[in-house]
Amino acid sequence: MTTDTTSFEQTPSTDVAAADTATDAPDPREDLSTAIALAGRTLAAVRADQYDAPTPCEDFDVRRLSSHLVAVVRRIAVIGRGEDPFSVPSFADELADGAWAGAWDAAAREAVDVWADPGILGRELRLPVGRLPGAAGALVYSHELTVHTWDLARATGQRPVWDESLVERALTLVRRVLPAEARGGPIPFGPVTDVDADAPAIDRLVAWAGRRP
């Protein structure tokens, strides 16, 4: 897969920045740390016989999604340091099968350490889509990690315990900045899928990202 079809990295930066204050999270770094931790646990539970399994993310099998997740958490650290996000490839292709969890642990510790600085929230950072304040960047990646964690969990038969408050905040963000119409092309998300209004928050979130819960 050449593009990430659940990524706010390609959502107009002005839209994301405008939604920066749209959630009730006291500190978006808390959600980011929680999303990083859950993604890591899910990645660590992947079995070798599941690497070739398809995922709900179009064109990603488990192997490719695992590689991409490691790249994402590496990019989160680089962005937090104010460096060029494109210095990190979209996939950790240098890793052998099964090495993703170990690489994740080191990259996740680095990301959490970088984002521990409270001043990062108001600092202008470079994301692939453009420049955003750190608070908005934390929201972007909390959403991306949560949806991709769901992808990986669904593909490998896992049932993560979701932080309902985090997922609701991610859903509030995505509904504000990503319209249900005009999907595809420059809007790298599939059409919204049907889901009951009282469905779990994670089902409503991934449905808005074009998944079928």
PDB file of all heavy atoms in Angstrom, residues 4-8 10-12 15 177-191 208:
ATOM      1  N   ASP A   4      -1.497   5.778   3.260  1.00  0.00           N
ATOM      2  CA  ASP A   4      -2.141   5.321   4.481  1.00  0.00           C
ATOM      3  C   ASP A   4      -3.561   5.827   4.502  1.00  0.00           C
ATOM      4  O   ASP A   4      -3.813   7.008   4.640  1.00  0.00           O
ATOM      5  CB  ASP A   4      -1.369   5.854   5.691  1.00  0.00           C
ATOM      6  CG  ASP A   4      -2.012   5.471   6.997  1.00  0.00           C
ATOM      7  OD1 ASP A   4      -2.969   4.693   6.959  1.00  0.00           O
ATOM      8  OD2 ASP A   4      -1.570   5.949   8.047  1.00  0.00           O
ATOM      9  N   THR A   5      -4.538   4.930   4.349  1.00  0.00           N
ATOM     10  CA  THR A   5      -5.913   5.348   4.189  1.00  0.00           C
ATOM     11  C   THR A   5      -6.621   5.623   5.509  1.00  0.00           C
ATOM     12  O   THR A   5      -7.839   5.703   5.540  1.00  0.00           O
ATOM     13  CB  THR A   5      -6.712   4.287   3.400  1.00  0.00           C
ATOM     14  OG1 THR A   5      -6.595   3.028   4.070  1.00  0.00           O
ATOM     15  CG2 THR A   5      -6.193   4.159   1.991  1.00  0.00           C
ATOM     16  N   THR A   6      -5.900   5.804   6.589  1.00  0.00           N
ATOM     17  CA  THR A   6      -6.549   6.257   7.816  1.00  0.00           C
ATOM     18  C   THR A   6      -5.764   7.398   8.429  1.00  0.00           C
ATOM     19  O   THR A   6      -5.902   7.678   9.603  1.00  0.00           O
ATOM     20  CB  THR A   6      -6.637   5.131   8.860  1.00  0.00           C
ATOM     21  OG1 THR A   6      -5.310   4.791   9.278  1.00  0.00           O
ATOM     22  CG2 THR A   6      -7.335   3.935   8.331  1.00  0.00           C
ATOM     23  N   SER A   7      -4.961   8.079   7.664  1.00  0.00           N
ATOM     24  CA  SER A   7      -3.990   8.989   8.248  1.00  0.00           C
ATOM     25  C   SER A   7      -4.407  10.443   8.174  1.00  0.00           C
ATOM     26  O   SER A   7      -4.698  10.949   7.101  1.00  0.00           O
ATOM     27  CB  SER A   7      -2.637   8.827   7.556  1.00  0.00           C
ATOM     28  OG  SER A   7      -1.696   9.706   8.093  1.00  0.00           O
ATOM     29  N   PHE A   8      -4.393  11.119   9.335  1.00  0.00           N
ATOM     30  CA  PHE A   8      -4.569  12.559   9.345  1.00  0.00           C
ATOM     31  C   PHE A   8      -3.331  13.265   8.818  1.00  0.00           C
ATOM     32  O   PHE A   8      -3.328  14.476   8.684  1.00  0.00           O
ATOM     33  CB  PHE A   8      -4.842  13.054  10.766  1.00  0.00           C
ATOM     34  CG  PHE A   8      -6.278  12.950  11.170  1.00  0.00           C
ATOM     35  CD1 PHE A   8      -6.651  13.165  12.481  1.00  0.00           C
ATOM     36  CD2 PHE A   8      -7.249  12.632  10.253  1.00  0.00           C
ATOM     37  CE1 PHE A   8      -7.961  13.071  12.873  1.00  0.00           C
ATOM     38  CE2 PHE A   8      -8.575  12.534  10.625  1.00  0.00           C
ATOM     39  CZ  PHE A   8      -8.932  12.759  11.940  1.00  0.00           C
ATOM     40  N   GLN A  10      -2.491  13.384   6.001  1.00  0.00           N
ATOM     41  CA  GLN A  10      -2.863  13.970   4.723  1.00  0.00           C
ATOM     42  C   GLN A  10      -4.136  14.794   4.836  1.00  0.00           C
ATOM     43  O   GLN A  10      -4.726  15.169   3.829  1.00  0.00           O
ATOM     44  CB  GLN A  10      -3.042  12.862   3.678  1.00  0.00           C
ATOM     45  CG  GLN A  10      -1.759  12.090   3.421  1.00  0.00           C
ATOM     46  CD  GLN A  10      -1.956  11.020   2.371  1.00  0.00           C
ATOM     47  OE1 GLN A  10      -2.517  11.261   1.313  1.00  0.00           O
ATOM     48  NE2 GLN A  10      -1.496   9.819   2.665  1.00  0.00           N
ATOM     49  N   THR A  11      -4.580  15.098   6.052  1.00  0.00           N
ATOM     50  CA  THR A  11      -5.736  15.952   6.270  1.00  0.00           C
ATOM     51  C   THR A  11      -5.259  17.397   6.359  1.00  0.00           C
ATOM     52  O   THR A  11      -4.234  17.661   6.978  1.00  0.00           O
ATOM     53  CB  THR A  11      -6.443  15.562   7.577  1.00  0.00           C
ATOM     54  OG1 THR A  11      -6.861  14.206   7.468  1.00  0.00           O
ATOM     55  CG2 THR A  11      -7.665  16.433   7.818  1.00  0.00           C
ATOM     56  N   PRO A  12      -5.967  18.358   5.735  1.00  0.00           N
ATOM     57  CA  PRO A  12      -5.508  19.741   5.777  1.00  0.00           C
ATOM     58  C   PRO A  12      -5.175  20.195   7.184  1.00  0.00           C
ATOM     59  O   PRO A  12      -5.970  20.042   8.107  1.00  0.00           O
ATOM     60  CB  PRO A  12      -6.705  20.513   5.193  1.00  0.00           C
ATOM     61  CG  PRO A  12      -7.350  19.530   4.260  1.00  0.00           C
ATOM     62  CD  PRO A  12      -7.188  18.189   4.932  1.00  0.00           C
ATOM     63  N   ASP A  15      -7.582  22.379   9.241  1.00  0.00           N
ATOM     64  CA  ASP A  15      -8.742  21.709   9.812  1.00  0.00           C
ATOM     65  C   ASP A  15      -8.390  21.057  11.145  1.00  0.00           C
ATOM     66  O   ASP A  15      -9.145  21.139  12.110  1.00  0.00           O
ATOM     67  CB  ASP A  15      -9.261  20.631   8.849  1.00  0.00           C
ATOM     68  CG  ASP A  15      -9.864  21.214   7.583  1.00  0.00           C
ATOM     69  OD1 ASP A  15     -10.139  22.427   7.569  1.00  0.00           O
ATOM     70  OD2 ASP A  15     -10.058  20.458   6.621  1.00  0.00           O
ATOM     71  N   VAL A 177     -13.108  17.322  11.710  1.00  0.00           N
ATOM     72  CA  VAL A 177     -12.143  17.696  10.671  1.00  0.00           C
ATOM     73  C   VAL A 177     -12.242  16.852   9.411  1.00  0.00           C
ATOM     74  O   VAL A 177     -11.665  17.221   8.387  1.00  0.00           O
ATOM     75  CB  VAL A 177     -10.698  17.638  11.210  1.00  0.00           C
ATOM     76  CG1 VAL A 177     -10.558  18.497  12.438  1.00  0.00           C
ATOM     77  CG2 VAL A 177     -10.256  16.208  11.501  1.00  0.00           C
ATOM     78  N   LEU A 178     -12.955  15.729   9.474  1.00  0.00           N
ATOM     79  CA  LEU A 178     -13.042  14.841   8.315  1.00  0.00           C
ATOM     80  C   LEU A 178     -14.511  14.637   7.949  1.00  0.00           C
ATOM     81  O   LEU A 178     -15.213  13.876   8.609  1.00  0.00           O
ATOM     82  CB  LEU A 178     -12.385  13.495   8.635  1.00  0.00           C
ATOM     83  CG  LEU A 178     -12.374  12.484   7.500  1.00  0.00           C
ATOM     84  CD1 LEU A 178     -11.492  12.960   6.359  1.00  0.00           C
ATOM     85  CD2 LEU A 178     -11.902  11.122   8.002  1.00  0.00           C
ATOM     86  N   PRO A 179     -14.989  15.315   6.918  1.00  0.00           N
ATOM     87  CA  PRO A 179     -16.405  15.180   6.561  1.00  0.00           C
ATOM     88  C   PRO A 179     -16.731  13.793   6.037  1.00  0.00           C
ATOM     89  O   PRO A 179     -15.854  13.065   5.548  1.00  0.00           O
ATOM     90  CB  PRO A 179     -16.590  16.248   5.470  1.00  0.00           C
ATOM     91  CG  PRO A 179     -15.220  16.426   4.892  1.00  0.00           C
ATOM     92  CD  PRO A 179     -14.266  16.231   6.038  1.00  0.00           C
ATOM     93  N   ALA A 180     -18.000  13.445   6.142  1.00  0.00           N
ATOM     94  CA  ALA A 180     -18.437  12.142   5.640  1.00  0.00           C
ATOM     95  C   ALA A 180     -18.480  12.116   4.117  1.00  0.00           C
ATOM     96  O   ALA A 180     -18.422  11.047   3.513  1.00  0.00           O
ATOM     97  CB  ALA A 180     -19.821  11.816   6.203  1.00  0.00           C
ATOM     98  N   GLU A 181     -18.555  13.284   3.497  1.00  0.00           N
ATOM     99  CA  GLU A 181     -18.647  13.362   2.051  1.00  0.00           C
ATOM    100  C   GLU A 181     -17.256  13.537   1.438  1.00  0.00           C
ATOM    101  O   GLU A 181     -16.293  13.831   2.121  1.00  0.00           O
ATOM    102  CB  GLU A 181     -19.541  14.535   1.635  1.00  0.00           C
ATOM    103  CG  GLU A 181     -20.975  14.437   2.130  1.00  0.00           C
ATOM    104  CD  GLU A 181     -21.121  14.814   3.601  1.00  0.00           C
ATOM    105  OE1 GLU A 181     -20.242  15.548   4.090  1.00  0.00           O
ATOM    106  OE2 GLU A 181     -22.082  14.363   4.228  1.00  0.00           O
ATOM    107  N   ALA A 182     -17.213  13.373   0.127  1.00  0.00           N
ATOM    108  CA  ALA A 182     -16.008  13.633  -0.671  1.00  0.00           C
ATOM    109  C   ALA A 182     -14.815  12.803  -0.206  1.00  0.00           C
ATOM    110  O   ALA A 182     -13.700  13.300  -0.126  1.00  0.00           O
ATOM    111  CB  ALA A 182     -15.671  15.125  -0.635  1.00  0.00           C
ATOM    112  N   ARG A 183     -15.057  11.541   0.119  1.00  0.00           N
ATOM    113  CA  ARG A 183     -13.952  10.656   0.484  1.00  0.00           C
ATOM    114  C   ARG A 183     -13.224  10.191  -0.780  1.00  0.00           C
ATOM    115  O   ARG A 183     -13.773  10.166  -1.867  1.00  0.00           O
ATOM    116  CB  ARG A 183     -14.467   9.446   1.267  1.00  0.00           C
ATOM    117  CG  ARG A 183     -15.144   9.787   2.592  1.00  0.00           C
ATOM    118  CD  ARG A 183     -14.160  10.333   3.596  1.00  0.00           C
ATOM    119  NE  ARG A 183     -14.788  10.611   4.881  1.00  0.00           N
ATOM    120  CZ  ARG A 183     -14.795   9.752   5.908  1.00  0.00           C
ATOM    121  NH1 ARG A 183     -14.208   8.587   5.797  1.00  0.00           N
ATOM    122  NH2 ARG A 183     -15.376  10.096   7.043  1.00  0.00           N
ATOM    123  N   GLY A 184     -11.993   9.793  -0.589  1.00  0.00           N
ATOM    124  CA  GLY A 184     -11.182   9.343  -1.694  1.00  0.00           C
ATOM    125  C   GLY A 184     -10.387  10.500  -2.286  1.00  0.00           C
ATOM    126  O   GLY A 184     -10.570  11.666  -1.935  1.00  0.00           O
ATOM    127  N   GLY A 185      -9.466  10.195  -3.190  1.00  0.00           N
ATOM    128  CA  GLY A 185      -8.629  11.230  -3.793  1.00  0.00           C
ATOM    129  C   GLY A 185      -7.771  11.886  -2.731  1.00  0.00           C
ATOM    130  O   GLY A 185      -7.031  11.208  -2.011  1.00  0.00           O
ATOM    131  N   PRO A 186      -7.872  13.222  -2.587  1.00  0.00           N
ATOM    132  CA  PRO A 186      -7.058  13.905  -1.576  1.00  0.00           C
ATOM    133  C   PRO A 186      -7.504  13.631  -0.147  1.00  0.00           C
ATOM    134  O   PRO A 186      -6.791  13.963   0.796  1.00  0.00           O
ATOM    135  CB  PRO A 186      -7.239  15.386  -1.927  1.00  0.00           C
ATOM    136  CG  PRO A 186      -8.557  15.444  -2.630  1.00  0.00           C
ATOM    137  CD  PRO A 186      -8.667  14.146  -3.386  1.00  0.00           C
ATOM    138  N   ILE A 187      -8.687  13.038   0.039  1.00  0.00           N
ATOM    139  CA  ILE A 187      -9.175  12.667   1.371  1.00  0.00           C
ATOM    140  C   ILE A 187      -8.949  11.173   1.520  1.00  0.00           C
ATOM    141  O   ILE A 187      -9.733  10.355   1.034  1.00  0.00           O
ATOM    142  CB  ILE A 187     -10.676  12.995   1.559  1.00  0.00           C
ATOM    143  CG1 ILE A 187     -10.962  14.441   1.185  1.00  0.00           C
ATOM    144  CG2 ILE A 187     -11.097  12.691   2.985  1.00  0.00           C
ATOM    145  CD1 ILE A 187     -10.245  15.466   2.051  1.00  0.00           C
ATOM    146  N   PRO A 188      -7.841  10.759   2.175  1.00  0.00           N
ATOM    147  CA  PRO A 188      -7.403   9.353   2.122  1.00  0.00           C
ATOM    148  C   PRO A 188      -8.155   8.435   3.081  1.00  0.00           C
ATOM    149  O   PRO A 188      -7.571   7.724   3.867  1.00  0.00           O
ATOM    150  CB  PRO A 188      -5.928   9.449   2.497  1.00  0.00           C
ATOM    151  CG  PRO A 188      -5.879  10.599   3.443  1.00  0.00           C
ATOM    152  CD  PRO A 188      -6.895  11.591   2.931  1.00  0.00           C
ATOM    153  N   PHE A 189      -9.488   8.492   3.018  1.00  0.00           N
ATOM    154  CA  PHE A 189     -10.334   7.637   3.841  1.00  0.00           C
ATOM    155  C   PHE A 189     -11.448   7.082   2.973  1.00  0.00           C
ATOM    156  O   PHE A 189     -11.917   7.755   2.051  1.00  0.00           O
ATOM    157  CB  PHE A 189     -10.968   8.427   5.002  1.00  0.00           C
ATOM    158  CG  PHE A 189      -9.997   8.832   6.078  1.00  0.00           C
ATOM    159  CD1 PHE A 189      -9.144   9.906   5.902  1.00  0.00           C
ATOM    160  CD2 PHE A 189      -9.948   8.147   7.281  1.00  0.00           C
ATOM    161  CE1 PHE A 189      -8.257  10.288   6.881  1.00  0.00           C
ATOM    162  CE2 PHE A 189      -9.064   8.523   8.278  1.00  0.00           C
ATOM    163  CZ  PHE A 189      -8.209   9.597   8.082  1.00  0.00           C
ATOM    164  N   GLY A 190     -11.890   5.848   3.276  1.00  0.00           N
ATOM    165  CA  GLY A 190     -13.019   5.285   2.573  1.00  0.00           C
ATOM    166  C   GLY A 190     -14.326   5.861   3.086  1.00  0.00           C
ATOM    167  O   GLY A 190     -14.371   6.581   4.085  1.00  0.00           O
ATOM    168  N   PRO A 191     -15.451   5.564   2.405  1.00  0.00           N
ATOM    169  CA  PRO A 191     -16.751   6.056   2.842  1.00  0.00           C
ATOM    170  C   PRO A 191     -17.086   5.581   4.256  1.00  0.00           C
ATOM    171  O   PRO A 191     -16.695   4.480   4.670  1.00  0.00           O
ATOM    172  CB  PRO A 191     -17.722   5.448   1.824  1.00  0.00           C
ATOM    173  CG  PRO A 191     -16.872   5.120   0.633  1.00  0.00           C
ATOM    174  CD  PRO A 191     -15.536   4.754   1.171  1.00  0.00           C
ATOM    175  N   TRP A 208     -16.246   5.551  10.991  1.00  0.00           N
ATOM    176  CA  TRP A 208     -16.029   6.874  10.395  1.00  0.00           C
ATOM    177  C   TRP A 208     -14.775   6.863   9.516  1.00  0.00           C
ATOM    178  O   TRP A 208     -14.672   7.623   8.553  1.00  0.00           O
ATOM    179  CB  TRP A 208     -15.911   7.929  11.481  1.00  0.00           C
ATOM    180  CG  TRP A 208     -16.121   9.326  10.943  1.00  0.00           C
ATOM    181  CD1 TRP A 208     -15.170  10.211  10.545  1.00  0.00           C
ATOM    182  CD2 TRP A 208     -17.376   9.972  10.736  1.00  0.00           C
ATOM    183  NE1 TRP A 208     -15.751  11.374  10.092  1.00  0.00           N
ATOM    184  CE2 TRP A 208     -17.108  11.259  10.201  1.00  0.00           C
ATOM    185  CE3 TRP A 208     -18.697   9.596  10.965  1.00  0.00           C
ATOM    186  CZ2 TRP A 208     -18.112  12.159   9.881  1.00  0.00           C
ATOM    187  CZ3 TRP A 208     -19.715  10.491  10.648  1.00  0.00           C
ATOM    188  CH2 TRP A 208     -19.400  11.764  10.104  1.00  0.00           C
TER     189      TRP A 208
END
